[in-house]
Amino acid sequence: LQAFSDAPILQFQTEFQNAAKTSLGAVTAFGPLRFALRDDLGLLRVHSVRRDAYNLVTAPVDGPISLTGGGWNAPQHGCLLLLEAADRGEFLLVGIEWERDWRYRIDKDADGRWLSIDVAGLTHDMAPGEKLSTPRVFLGLSQGDREQAFLTARRYLQHHAFPDPLKNWPWIVYDFWATDAEGVQDALLHEVEFAAKLGVDIFVHDA
């Protein structure tokens, strides 16, 4: 658990350990964070960015809700979500370090309404003593409008999450992607020569 003097953010990271002497089979998910939501928050809305549709979406919380980052080569939601208490002009910022294999849930049981953040999409057998580390999860608070909430998260990410810029950043990157069955080597070498003439810093052979 870590707090920051220059941001209204709390950051969490934990690990799940099989302390038994036998294997723990078929682990599909585990939850690093779960906490209760107050009953008097009024109308709640979740804002998120859809990475598969490149747009911002808003969903009312009028029942159980579940959002995921998707799977490999099948993205869904971006890993920054806003829970808005619309009647109060307040936002809870929720961020997850991984781009996928996570799940964000709001549901109710006999003890109240809960917000959960899980590591999901696993198919794993845990050996005795084995540990699984979670991605970092951050929670923050913001008042005002949705733009202010996103800017609050952005400032935290710039100062405490993103790595320092590399020398001479930003670089010009040329990404060559092809799934052709034939002629790939000749095409690739042609593109390398073309990229070099353009003054590209990094040439990436993708797929």
Side-chain angles (χ1 to χ4, degrees), residues 34 107-114:
R34 181 175 186 257
D107 51 23
K108 293 188 74 171
D109 61 18
D111 296 322
R113 183 162 52 178
W114 299 86

Side-chain angles (χ1 to χ4, degrees):
L1 172 63
Q2 185 175 3
F4 303 93
S5 61
D6 60 348
I9 299 289
L10 286 175
Q11 181 177 285
F12 300 83
Q13 189 168 30
T14 187
E15 63 184 14
F16 176 42
Q17 181 177 11
N18 179 12
K21 296 181 180 180
T22 57
S23 294
L24 182 61
V27 176
T28 59
F30 65 96
L33 193 63
R34 181 175 186 257
F35 61 92
L37 296 172
R38 284 167 43 181
D39 293 329
D40 61 349
L41 294 175
L43 175 65
L44 294 179
R45 291 191 288 246
V46 173
H47 307 277
S48 64
V49 173
R50 289 293 303 232
R51 295 171 54 237
D52 52 354
Y54 301 102
N55 64 348
L56 182 66
V57 294
T58 297
V61 183
D62 50 11
I65 192 167
S66 179
L67 306 178
T68 75
W72 182 84
N73 211 27
Q76 293 184 26
H77 296 272
C79 54
L80 172 63
L81 304 110
L82 305 181
L83 177 61
E84 178 188 8
D87 298 333
R88 296 168 172 263
E90 296 176 348
F91 293 84
L92 179 68
L93 320 175
V94 181
I96 304 161
E97 186 176 23
W98 289 357
E99 75 166 350
R100 59 185 174 92
D101 293 332
W102 53 264
R103 180 176 58 204
Y104 169 104
R105 293 181 294 140
I106 298 176
D107 51 23
K108 293 188 74 171
D109 61 18
D111 296 322
R113 183 162 52 178
W114 299 86
L115 189 152
S116 304
I117 301 167
D118 303 330
V119 175
L122 301 175
T123 305
H124 188 70
D125 296 331
M126 290 186 69
E130 184 179 357
K131 299 177 182 179
L132 293 176
S133 296
T134 69
R136 287 182 293 175
V137 174
F138 75 83
L139 299 175
L141 297 173
S142 180
Q143 290 183 316
D145 58 15
R146 190 171 58 190
E147 181 180 5
Q148 182 59 47
F150 275 117
L151 288 173
T152 298
R154 182 173 181 265
R155 284 192 294 270
Y156 153 77
L157 292 170
Q158 282 184 317
H159 292 110
H160 302 287
F162 297 154
D164 293 333
L166 299 171
K167 185 178 180 180
N168 298 324
W169 183 265
W171 298 333
I172 300 173
V173 180
Y174 193 109
D175 190 319
F176 180 87
W177 185 86
T179 55
D180 299 322
E182 298 178 354
V184 175
Q185 177 171 302
D186 289 341
L188 178 64
L189 293 174
H190 174 76
E191 295 293 326
V192 168
E193 184 178 351
F194 175 69
K197 291 178 179 178
L198 287 178
V200 166
D201 297 304
I202 298 178
F203 186 90
V204 179
H205 179 202
D206 189 354

